[in-house]
Amino acid sequence: MKVLEFFKKIFTSRGRRKAQEGEWEKLVTARGGVDLEQEEERTRYVTDCLEQIAEASQELEMLQGEYSRVTAYLTDLEELEALPDQEKETLEITARKLQNMEREYESFTQRKNRMDDAIYYQMKNREPEMQEGIEKIRKTEHYGTLVKQDMQRLEGERLAYEYRKNELHGIMENQRGMAVIFLTALVICLILLAVLQFGLRMQTQVGYFIAVLAAALALTVLAVKHMDADREMDRVLRDARRLIKLQNKVKIRYVNNKNLLDYYYIKYDVDSGKKLEKLFNQYLEEKEQRKQFAETEARREYYHKQLLNQLGHYHIQYPEQLSGKVSVILDHREQVERRHELIMRRQSLRKQMDYNNTVAGEAKQEIKDIVVAYPRYALEITEMVDRYESGYRR
C-alpha cells in the first residue's frame, strides 16, 4: 500500500507541475484591476500592451527567418531526392570522394601521437642543422666517455702509486728500525764479550770478530735494500708527479667537453643525443604526415567546391548544408532522419509563431477594446500607438 501511495504522489505531483506549466503559457488580461480613467494607469496599461506586441513581433521576425530556412532545407532534400539516377550517381561519386577526404582529415587531427606544434616548428626552423647537431652531440658524448675512462684509469694508477709510496715508506722505516736493532745487538755483544774477557779471563777475540762481521754484513744488506727502496721511492714520486700533470690535462679536457655537451643540450633542449635523434626522426615522420595532410586538405577543399558547383546546377537554395553533411547525399536513411528532424523543427517553429501571433493579436485587440470602451481617449491612445510604432521601426 505504501508503494502504491508513493507512486500515486509522484504522478499527482507531475500532473500538478504540467498543469502549472500550462497555466504559465496562458496570458491573463489585467484590465479589470486598472482604472483607465486615470491617465497614469491608462498610459502604463496601453504601454504594456504595446510592449507585448513589440516583443511578439521581434520574436516572430526571428522565427519566420528560421522557418523559411528550415522549409528551404526540406525543399532541398526533396529536390535531391527527385534528381535523375544518372545525375544522382555523379553527385554521389563526388560526395563519396569528399567523405573519404573528411575521414582522412579527422584521422589526422585526432591521432594520439601527433607532435606538438611548438616542438614541430622549432624542429622545422633547425632542420638544416639537425643532422650536424646530432653528429656533434654523439661525437661529444663518445669523446666524453673516452675521457671518463682515461680519468678512471689514471685515478687507478694514482691510487697504485700512492699505495706503493706508502708501502716503500713502511719498508724504509722497518729497515731503519732493524739497523738500530742490529747496532744495539752489536753493542750488547761487545759488552758481554768484554765482561767475559776481563772478568773471567776468557779468550774472546774470535767473538769480537764474529760479532763485528755479522753486524757489518747485516747493516750492509740493510743499506743496500734501503738505497733500492729510496731509488724506487724517487721513481714512484716522479711518476706520481707526471701522473698528476697528465690527470690535470685530462680534467681540463673533461670539463671542456662537459661544458660543450651542456651547451648542445641547452641549444637543442634535450638531455642526450639519442633523444635528439629520436625527436628528429619523429619530426621527419610528422613532416611527411603533415605533407600528406596538406594534400588531403587540398583535395578535400577541391571536392567540396566541386560538390557545391554540382549542387548549384539544381534548384537547391542552401547547397552548403548538403555539402557539409555528405552522408545525407549518400545514405537514404540519413535523408529520412534529416527530413524527420526538419519537420519536427518546423512544427516547433510553427507552434512558437502561432503563440506569438496570438500574443500580438490579443494585445492589439485589447487596445481596440479600450478605444471602443473609452472613445474619449481614442485620439490619445492612437497617438501612443503611432509614437511606439515609429520608435520601434527606428
Side-chain angles (χ1 to χ4, degrees), residues 100-145:
N100 292 335
M101 295 301 102
E102 291 283 357
R103 288 172 179 170
E104 290 185 21
Y105 181 87
E106 290 179 6
S107 176
F108 177 83
T109 54
Q110 295 177 3
R111 62 193 177 97
K112 296 181 179 179
N113 60 341
R114 181 182 179 185
M115 180 177 282
D116 184 74
D117 286 342
I119 299 176
Y120 175 80
Y121 287 112
Q122 183 182 8
M123 297 293 291
K124 184 178 181 180
N125 292 334
R126 291 181 171 175
E127 183 178 358
E129 61 177 289
M130 286 305 298
Q131 200 61 50
E132 182 182 0
I134 293 171
E135 292 296 328
K136 286 181 178 179
I137 291 180
R138 282 298 184 95
K139 183 178 179 180
T140 306
E141 286 177 338
H142 178 68
Y143 183 71
T145 302

Side-chain angles (χ1 to χ4, degrees), residues 222-339:
L222 286 175
V224 172
K225 288 185 177 182
H226 187 276
M227 287 187 292
D228 290 341
D230 188 58
R231 281 194 298 271
E232 187 176 356
M233 177 68 80
D234 289 339
R235 182 182 60 79
V236 169
L237 293 175
R238 185 172 59 254
D239 290 343
R241 286 192 295 270
R242 179 185 57 80
L243 187 63
I244 289 173
K245 291 180 181 180
L246 188 57
Q247 270 188 315
N248 289 334
K249 289 181 180 179
V250 175
K251 284 180 180 179
I252 292 172
R253 293 173 187 171
Y254 171 77
V255 172
N256 286 331
N257 186 80
K258 184 177 181 299
N259 291 336
L260 180 61
L261 195 58
D262 289 341
Y263 168 76
Y264 286 145
Y265 288 163
I266 294 172
K267 179 180 179 180
Y268 295 103
D269 194 23
V270 292
D271 54 15
S272 68
K274 186 177 181 180
K275 185 174 182 180
L276 181 61
E277 186 174 9
K278 181 180 178 182
L279 194 63
F280 184 58
N281 289 333
Q282 288 178 349
Y283 161 75
L284 294 176
E285 183 178 350
E286 179 78 11
K287 180 181 177 181
E288 182 62 27
Q289 289 180 349
R290 292 198 179 204
K291 180 181 177 182
Q292 294 176 3
F293 171 73
E295 294 173 355
T296 299
E297 194 172 22
R299 290 197 298 270
R300 171 172 165 260
E301 185 65 22
Y302 170 77
Y303 289 128
H304 183 257
K305 290 181 179 179
Q306 190 177 25
L307 185 61
L308 283 175
N309 185 48
Q310 291 177 356
L311 290 170
H313 292 158
Y314 312 118
H315 300 291
I316 293 178
Q317 301 179 56
Y318 293 95
E320 63 277 0
Q321 285 289 325
L322 293 175
S323 64
K325 193 172 178 62
V326 293
S327 57
V328 175
I329 299 175
L330 297 172
D331 192 344
H332 180 70
R333 289 175 300 177
E334 285 278 347
Q335 292 182 19
V336 173
E337 290 177 6
R338 178 66 172 166
R339 185 180 292 108

Side-chain angles (χ1 to χ4, degrees), residues 56 59-74 341-357:
E59 192 71 18
L60 275 169
E61 186 177 348
M62 184 273 292
L63 292 171
Q64 285 170 352
E66 183 66 17
Y67 187 86
S68 298
R69 281 191 293 272
V70 172
T71 302
Y73 296 160
L74 277 168
E341 176 200 346
L342 290 172
I343 291 172
M344 296 297 293
R345 284 169 58 184
R346 192 166 66 170
Q347 289 175 350
S348 177
L349 289 169
R350 183 73 264 175
K351 181 181 177 181
Q352 294 179 64
M353 290 167 64
D354 291 342
Y355 174 76
N356 282 279
N357 276 321

Side-chain angles (χ1 to χ4, degrees), residues 159-219:
L159 292 175
Y161 281 130
E162 189 69 25
Y163 177 79
R164 184 56 181 166
K165 184 180 73 172
N166 293 332
E167 189 178 39
L168 290 171
H169 182 72
I171 291 173
M172 293 171 71
E173 287 294 326
N174 291 335
Q175 288 173 349
R176 282 193 287 270
M178 291 176 66
V180 172
I181 292 171
F182 286 149
L183 290 173
T184 303
L186 177 61
V187 171
I188 293 172
C189 286
L190 292 176
I191 292 172
L192 289 175
L193 289 172
V195 170
L196 291 174
Q197 180 182 0
F198 297 106
L200 299 177
R201 305 292 181 178
M202 295 179 64
Q203 297 294 326
T204 58
Q205 289 81 3
V206 177
Y208 285 118
F209 177 75
I210 294 173
V212 172
L213 181 61
L217 289 173
L219 291 172

